[in-house]
Amino acid sequence: MHDTLLLFGATGDLSQRYLFPSLQHLLRDRLLPPEFRVIAVGRSEYDDGGFQAWLRERLANGDSRDDAALEDLLRRTRYHALDLNDADAMAAALSQYADRPSVSYLSTPPDLFAPATRGLKAAGLLEGESRLVLEKPIGHDLASAREINATLKAALDESRIFRIDHYLGKAPVQNLLALRFGNTLMEAVWHNRWIESVDIMVAETAGVDGREGYYAHYGALRDMVQNHMLQLLALIAMEPPSALDADSIRDEKRKVLRSLRPMTVADVAQDSVRGRYADGVVDGQAVRGFKHDSDVETFVALRAYIDNWRWSGVPFRLVTGKRMPSRATEVLVSFKPVSHWVFERPSKERARHNRLRMRLQPEETIELGLMGSLAAPEWGATELQPMSLDLSMSPAPKRRIAYERLLVDALKGDQTLFVRDDEVEAAWQWIDSISDAWRKAGTPAQPYPAGSWGPAAAEAFLPATLSGNGHRK
Ligand code: BG6
């Protein structure tokens, strides 16, 4: 396991909220090597002591308060103020850390990936066994993603490039692989003969506050669908890999992404909705709408089709939005009704209850909806009733920040939960078809009140487990 982590973008939001708290937890749990050190790099002018004081203040008030681990982390952390566009300055300041293999983590906007890679190369930090981790998004479209990938490859081999998608570090996402490929029952019905539809929903109550500049350039399609939601879709839809190694899994995910049917101008009206939140109320608090000159969306609903043997004809509905009434990340797999219905009640239509529902957030649960029987003497017939089989793990495993697992894997060199160049490009190819079709069709981002489930036109895209009045069943 490598023991030197260079963290670029160290004073940014992601570092404060997730990366440093993750490191703190990992030190507390003794999951990092004894000589572990962090070289933090940011734009703000701090010396080591100033940065440590700043970080102590940020972390001491967080929910990951743990004095001993916090002091341990600070003791191991050095800071450099650097401009990542200045390769000479990077080389001068950082070459001292090339004494042993390291992991450089670029938690920066994608336009800094290429210059920072050049600076790291000049500092000797991409040689030998050293690795490079990049935060999403990888580019803004297919062309920019290709350019970034080409720059990376000129500097180091793909086997040492780790593209993060933090959804892959979430425990229930890994459980999806276990459920699918560790059970005869699941895989036997996992195709278009028995599955009617798949819903993937990522609803957030948070808005874009504090990230307006980034968001106005990306929007929900590029910020959420291109990466997190398509990775979930790929794991749900992929063929069984022949082994669980990184490339076997990534080969299968890439095939799914390449089988996504491109969106055309003719499909847009029926298969997509764009929205943007206006003033409203979330969690009892009045919130302002997202106002910006760009016509960017904060809500997307899509109906996607995977044109292959297994999934032909099965709609995958993808819905994500900011400022929704509640936080809910879930996957819902709805099975087709039985072919011949012999019961009187309820009717076959009402008995469509065979569903696998995986909630990733806020709580982690897995339920299988089945029909069971209840004696109903007053009718003299068997009444069927929806029942729910709770497949959640008990006792619940310790909850960890997704980045904890991913940081350990990057330090160890395990690429299984990281995204390969061709997957990223296949995902962008499909996303570009949607943004092009929206542009050509002039599809506007329709306003929706903050605290609602998106524009009215999105109603047909919402999962069946979401009732019309916005309360979750
Ligand atoms: C990030 C997006 O990648 O994921 C954010 O940039 C989003 O806009 C976040 O809020 C959601 O992550 P999670 O783990 O809270 O669902």
Side-chain angles (χ1 to χ4, degrees):
M1 197 169 182
H2 291 4
D3 59 12
T4 301
L5 177 70
L6 292 108
L7 182 54
F8 297 84
T11 52
D13 185 58
L14 186 79
S15 299
Q16 286 179 50
R17 283 175 54 202
Y18 296 115
L19 301 180
F20 282 114
S22 295
L23 293 173
Q24 193 183 345
H25 295 171
L26 293 172
L27 282 170
R28 179 196 61 201
D29 298 342
R30 300 185 193 291
L31 293 170
L32 295 174
E35 299 302 315
F36 181 70
R37 58 182 180 173
V38 183
I39 317 305
V41 178
R43 271 179 310 181
S44 312
E45 288 293 338
Y46 291 116
D47 56 15
D48 285 346
F51 180 74
Q52 286 163 356
W54 174 86
L55 190 57
R56 180 182 287 114
E57 202 182 305
R58 294 289 172 300
L59 298 189
N61 300 325
D63 52 359
S64 54
R65 187 185 151 79
D66 176 327
D67 290 343
L70 173 56
E71 291 311 316
D72 190 20
L73 174 62
L74 296 175
R75 193 174 52 76
R76 294 166 185 271
T77 303
R78 296 282 164 275
Y79 182 81
H80 293 272
L82 282 172
D83 174 359
L84 302 190
N85 285 302
D86 186 344
D88 292 342
M90 281 179 73
L94 303 178
S95 51
Q96 58 179 310
Y97 303 112
D99 57 337
R100 49 198 211 239
S102 60
V103 173
S104 291
Y105 187 141
L106 299 181
S107 172
T108 65
D111 51 339
L112 285 172
F113 290 166
T117 303
R118 283 190 280 273
L120 286 169
K121 187 89 184 152
L125 287 162
L126 299 180
E127 304 306 315
E129 291 301 307
S130 288
R131 305 183 187 121
L132 183 60
V133 178
L134 301 111
E135 192 48 55
K136 59 141 278 255
I138 306 292
H140 183 262
D141 53 16
L142 178 59
S144 52
R146 278 190 176 144
E147 238 172 80
I148 292 171
N149 284 337
T151 309
L152 298 177
K153 280 194 172 170
L156 74 173
D157 188 73
E158 179 66 30
S159 63
R160 295 193 285 125
I161 302 172
F162 290 65
R163 295 175 195 78
I164 283 222
D165 184 310
H166 79 276
Y167 267 52
L168 295 181
K170 292 182 191 274
V173 175
Q174 292 150 46
N175 199 10
L176 192 57
L177 289 180
L179 261 187
R180 276 200 61 194
F181 304 128
N183 295 288
T184 316
L185 287 179
M186 287 297 161
E187 200 49 26
V189 293
W190 208 258
H191 50 70
N192 58 2
R193 263 159 290 156
W194 294 116
I195 291 180
E196 191 165 65
S197 61
V198 177
D199 293 276
I200 302 174
M201 176 162 200
V202 182
E204 298 180 271
T205 51
V208 300
D209 312 346
R211 303 165 76 213
E212 288 85 353
Y214 157 80
Y215 211 84
H217 191 48
Y218 284 85
L221 182 69
R222 295 181 169 92
D223 181 50
M224 295 295 290
V225 183
Q226 190 272 343
N227 34 78
H228 306 324
M229 300 188 81
L230 285 188
Q231 283 294 320
L232 287 175
L233 175 140
L235 290 171
I236 294 166
M238 69 194 248
E239 293 301 312
S242 51
L244 267 194
D245 60 272
D247 276 334
S248 300
I249 292 181
R250 300 188 303 177
D251 285 347
E252 298 305 336
K253 283 197 290 166
R254 188 210 46 192
K255 281 189 214 160
V256 172
L257 296 169
R258 289 181 61 112
S259 308
L260 281 164
R261 186 186 302 168
M263 182 86 71
T264 65
V265 177
D267 305 324
V268 157
Q270 190 187 317
D271 289 338
S272 76
V273 178
R274 291 180 83 201
R276 171 150 153 173
Y277 66 83
D279 296 351
V281 178
V282 180
D283 285 339
Q285 301 271 323
V287 296
R288 305 283 305 275
F290 179 47
K291 297 188 180 65
H292 198 275
D293 293 343
S294 74
D295 170 46
V296 84
E297 75 286 338
T298 60
F299 174 97
V300 188
L302 298 170
R303 198 176 285 107
Y305 289 96
I306 299 170
D307 284 335
N308 67 12
W309 194 275
R310 186 185 282 264
W311 295 111
S312 178
V314 179
F316 281 68
R317 290 179 290 262
L318 312 182
V319 176
T320 185
K322 303 269 187 213
R323 293 289 189 221
M324 304 269 99
S326 57
R327 183 164 189 240
T329 304
E330 90 175 38
V331 170
L332 184 70
V333 178
S334 302
F335 294 91
K336 291 183 175 169
V338 295
S339 49
H340 176 59
W341 190 248
V342 293
F343 303 96
E344 280 180 36
R345 288 164 193 269
S347 66
K348 183 176 171 183
E349 281 61 44
R350 286 197 49 225
R352 293 185 158 207
H353 192 65
N354 282 176
R355 294 191 192 119
L356 180 71
R357 181 179 181 187
M358 290 190 69
R359 297 206 84 196
L360 280 69
Q361 288 167 160
E363 66 282 351
E364 296 178 2
T365 56
I366 305 181
E367 284 167 18
L368 187 61
L370 297 170
M371 297 304 286
S373 88
L374 249 196
E378 66 275 27
W379 291 331
T382 307
E383 183 188 2
L384 260 64
Q385 178 165 301
M387 293 178 170
S388 179
L389 203 60
D390 184 352
L391 304 178
S392 312
M393 274 183 277
S394 177
K398 183 174 185 169
R399 286 195 79 157
R400 289 192 171 276
I401 303 173
Y403 284 96
E404 293 178 36
R405 166 76 192 258
L406 298 174
L407 282 164
V408 168
D409 283 0
L411 292 165
K412 280 204 289 205
D414 183 346
Q415 289 188 306
T416 311
L417 299 178
F418 294 82
V419 186
R420 207 169 54 192
D421 54 349
D422 52 359
E423 282 181 83
V424 170
E425 292 176 16
W428 274 123
Q429 187 148 15
W430 187 66
I431 293 295
D432 281 3
S433 80
I434 301 168
S435 45
D436 286 355
W438 280 349
R439 190 169 35 76
K440 287 183 191 141
T443 309
Q446 303 172 38
Y448 62 93
S452 70
W453 292 106
E459 182 71 32
F461 292 76
L462 298 176
T465 40
L466 200 68
S467 70
N469 61 11
H471 293 293
R472 304 199 61 82
K473 280 184 200 164

Short mmCIF file of all heavy atoms in Angstrom, two decimals, residues 18 136 166-167 170 204 211 214-215 223-224 228 322 327 361, ligand 1:
data_model
loop_
_atom_site.label_atom_id
_atom_site.label_comp_id
_atom_site.label_asym_id
_atom_site.label_seq_id
_atom_site.Cartn_x
_atom_site.Cartn_y
_atom_site.Cartn_z
N TYR A 18 -15.53 15.60 2.53
CA TYR A 18 -15.42 14.14 2.43
C TYR A 18 -14.01 13.58 2.54
O TYR A 18 -13.79 12.57 3.19
CB TYR A 18 -16.03 13.66 1.10
CG TYR A 18 -17.51 13.92 1.01
CD1 TYR A 18 -18.02 14.80 0.07
CD2 TYR A 18 -18.39 13.30 1.88
CE1 TYR A 18 -19.38 15.06 0.01
CE2 TYR A 18 -19.75 13.54 1.83
CZ TYR A 18 -20.24 14.42 0.89
OH TYR A 18 -21.57 14.67 0.84
N LYS A 136 -14.52 13.22 -10.74
CA LYS A 136 -15.41 13.50 -11.86
C LYS A 136 -15.78 14.98 -11.88
O LYS A 136 -15.63 15.61 -10.85
CB LYS A 136 -16.68 12.65 -11.76
CG LYS A 136 -17.47 12.90 -10.46
CD LYS A 136 -18.95 12.92 -10.65
CE LYS A 136 -19.50 14.21 -11.12
NZ LYS A 136 -20.20 15.03 -10.11
N HIS A 166 -17.78 8.40 -6.94
CA HIS A 166 -17.91 7.98 -5.53
C HIS A 166 -19.11 7.07 -5.29
O HIS A 166 -19.19 6.38 -4.29
CB HIS A 166 -17.90 9.18 -4.58
CG HIS A 166 -19.18 9.94 -4.48
ND1 HIS A 166 -19.54 10.91 -5.36
CD2 HIS A 166 -20.19 9.86 -3.59
CE1 HIS A 166 -20.72 11.40 -5.02
NE2 HIS A 166 -21.15 10.78 -3.95
N TYR A 167 -20.06 7.02 -6.28
CA TYR A 167 -21.18 6.09 -6.11
C TYR A 167 -20.69 4.64 -6.07
O TYR A 167 -21.30 3.79 -5.44
CB TYR A 167 -22.23 6.30 -7.20
CG TYR A 167 -23.30 7.26 -6.74
CD1 TYR A 167 -22.94 8.50 -6.21
CD2 TYR A 167 -24.65 6.92 -6.77
CE1 TYR A 167 -23.90 9.39 -5.75
CE2 TYR A 167 -25.62 7.80 -6.30
CZ TYR A 167 -25.24 9.03 -5.80
OH TYR A 167 -26.18 9.90 -5.33
N LYS A 170 -20.07 3.27 -2.57
CA LYS A 170 -21.18 3.10 -1.62
C LYS A 170 -21.45 1.60 -1.44
O LYS A 170 -21.58 0.87 -2.43
CB LYS A 170 -22.43 3.81 -2.14
CG LYS A 170 -22.30 5.35 -2.15
CD LYS A 170 -23.57 6.00 -2.64
CE LYS A 170 -23.39 7.48 -2.90
NZ LYS A 170 -23.55 8.35 -1.76
N GLU A 204 -32.38 14.91 -4.40
CA GLU A 204 -31.66 15.62 -3.32
C GLU A 204 -32.48 16.80 -2.84
O GLU A 204 -33.17 17.44 -3.66
CB GLU A 204 -30.33 16.15 -3.85
CG GLU A 204 -29.38 15.09 -4.34
CD GLU A 204 -28.08 15.72 -4.84
OE1 GLU A 204 -28.01 16.06 -6.03
OE2 GLU A 204 -27.16 15.86 -4.04
N ARG A 211 -22.06 26.53 -5.48
CA ARG A 211 -21.41 25.90 -6.64
C ARG A 211 -22.03 26.40 -7.93
O ARG A 211 -22.00 25.72 -8.95
CB ARG A 211 -21.59 24.37 -6.59
CG ARG A 211 -21.08 23.72 -5.32
CD ARG A 211 -21.62 22.32 -5.21
NE ARG A 211 -20.94 21.39 -6.09
CZ ARG A 211 -21.53 20.34 -6.66
NH1 ARG A 211 -22.81 20.11 -6.46
NH2 ARG A 211 -20.86 19.52 -7.43
N TYR A 214 -19.78 26.39 -11.22
CA TYR A 214 -19.57 25.05 -11.77
C TYR A 214 -20.87 24.53 -12.39
O TYR A 214 -20.91 24.06 -13.52
CB TYR A 214 -19.10 24.11 -10.65
CG TYR A 214 -19.37 22.64 -10.92
CD1 TYR A 214 -18.54 21.90 -11.75
CD2 TYR A 214 -20.47 22.00 -10.33
CE1 TYR A 214 -18.80 20.56 -11.99
CE2 TYR A 214 -20.72 20.66 -10.58
CZ TYR A 214 -19.89 19.94 -11.41
OH TYR A 214 -20.15 18.62 -11.66
N TYR A 215 -21.93 24.66 -11.63
CA TYR A 215 -23.19 24.05 -12.03
C TYR A 215 -23.74 24.65 -13.32
O TYR A 215 -24.28 23.94 -14.17
CB TYR A 215 -24.21 24.16 -10.89
CG TYR A 215 -25.15 23.01 -10.91
CD1 TYR A 215 -24.80 21.80 -10.29
CD2 TYR A 215 -26.35 23.07 -11.60
CE1 TYR A 215 -25.63 20.70 -10.35
CE2 TYR A 215 -27.19 21.97 -11.66
CZ TYR A 215 -26.83 20.81 -11.04
OH TYR A 215 -27.65 19.72 -11.11
N ASP A 223 -23.55 16.55 -14.45
CA ASP A 223 -23.09 16.42 -13.07
C ASP A 223 -23.50 15.07 -12.45
O ASP A 223 -22.76 14.51 -11.65
CB ASP A 223 -23.68 17.57 -12.23
CG ASP A 223 -23.23 17.53 -10.78
OD1 ASP A 223 -22.03 17.40 -10.54
OD2 ASP A 223 -24.11 17.62 -9.89
N MET A 224 -24.66 14.57 -12.81
CA MET A 224 -25.20 13.37 -12.14
C MET A 224 -25.42 12.19 -13.08
O MET A 224 -25.13 11.05 -12.75
CB MET A 224 -26.54 13.69 -11.46
CG MET A 224 -26.45 14.69 -10.34
SD MET A 224 -25.49 14.10 -8.93
CE MET A 224 -26.55 12.84 -8.25
N HIS A 228 -22.70 9.11 -12.06
CA HIS A 228 -23.31 8.28 -11.01
C HIS A 228 -24.45 7.41 -11.54
O HIS A 228 -24.52 6.22 -11.28
CB HIS A 228 -23.85 9.15 -9.88
CG HIS A 228 -22.84 10.10 -9.29
ND1 HIS A 228 -21.52 9.76 -9.16
CD2 HIS A 228 -22.95 11.36 -8.81
CE1 HIS A 228 -20.86 10.79 -8.62
NE2 HIS A 228 -21.72 11.76 -8.40
N LYS A 322 -32.35 18.45 -7.96
CA LYS A 322 -32.01 19.19 -6.74
C LYS A 322 -33.30 19.82 -6.21
O LYS A 322 -34.23 20.07 -6.97
CB LYS A 322 -31.04 20.33 -7.07
CG LYS A 322 -29.76 19.89 -7.77
CD LYS A 322 -28.67 19.60 -6.78
CE LYS A 322 -27.36 19.32 -7.47
NZ LYS A 322 -26.53 18.34 -6.75
N ARG A 327 -34.83 13.48 0.37
CA ARG A 327 -33.63 12.88 -0.20
C ARG A 327 -33.90 11.40 -0.41
O ARG A 327 -34.32 10.70 0.52
CB ARG A 327 -32.47 13.05 0.78
CG ARG A 327 -31.16 12.53 0.27
CD ARG A 327 -30.02 13.09 1.11
NE ARG A 327 -28.75 12.75 0.50
CZ ARG A 327 -27.80 12.02 1.10
NH1 ARG A 327 -27.99 11.61 2.34
NH2 ARG A 327 -26.69 11.74 0.48
N GLN A 361 -29.91 5.73 -0.16
CA GLN A 361 -29.88 6.89 0.72
C GLN A 361 -31.30 7.37 0.97
O GLN A 361 -32.11 7.25 0.06
CB GLN A 361 -29.08 8.03 0.07
CG GLN A 361 -27.61 7.76 0.04
CD GLN A 361 -26.83 8.71 -0.86
OE1 GLN A 361 -25.67 8.82 -0.69
NE2 GLN A 361 -27.42 9.38 -1.82
C1 BG6 B 1 -21.67 14.91 -6.73
C2 BG6 B 1 -22.38 15.99 -7.48
O1 BG6 B 1 -20.86 14.16 -7.59
O2 BG6 B 1 -22.63 14.05 -6.12
C3 BG6 B 1 -23.29 16.78 -6.56
O3 BG6 B 1 -21.42 16.88 -8.07
C4 BG6 B 1 -24.23 15.84 -5.81
O4 BG6 B 1 -24.04 17.76 -7.29
C5 BG6 B 1 -23.47 14.69 -5.18
O5 BG6 B 1 -24.90 16.61 -4.82
C6 BG6 B 1 -24.42 13.65 -4.63
O6 BG6 B 1 -23.70 12.69 -3.90
P1 BG6 B 1 -24.40 11.87 -2.73
O7 BG6 B 1 -23.37 10.90 -2.30
O8 BG6 B 1 -24.75 12.89 -1.66
O9 BG6 B 1 -25.63 11.26 -3.30
#
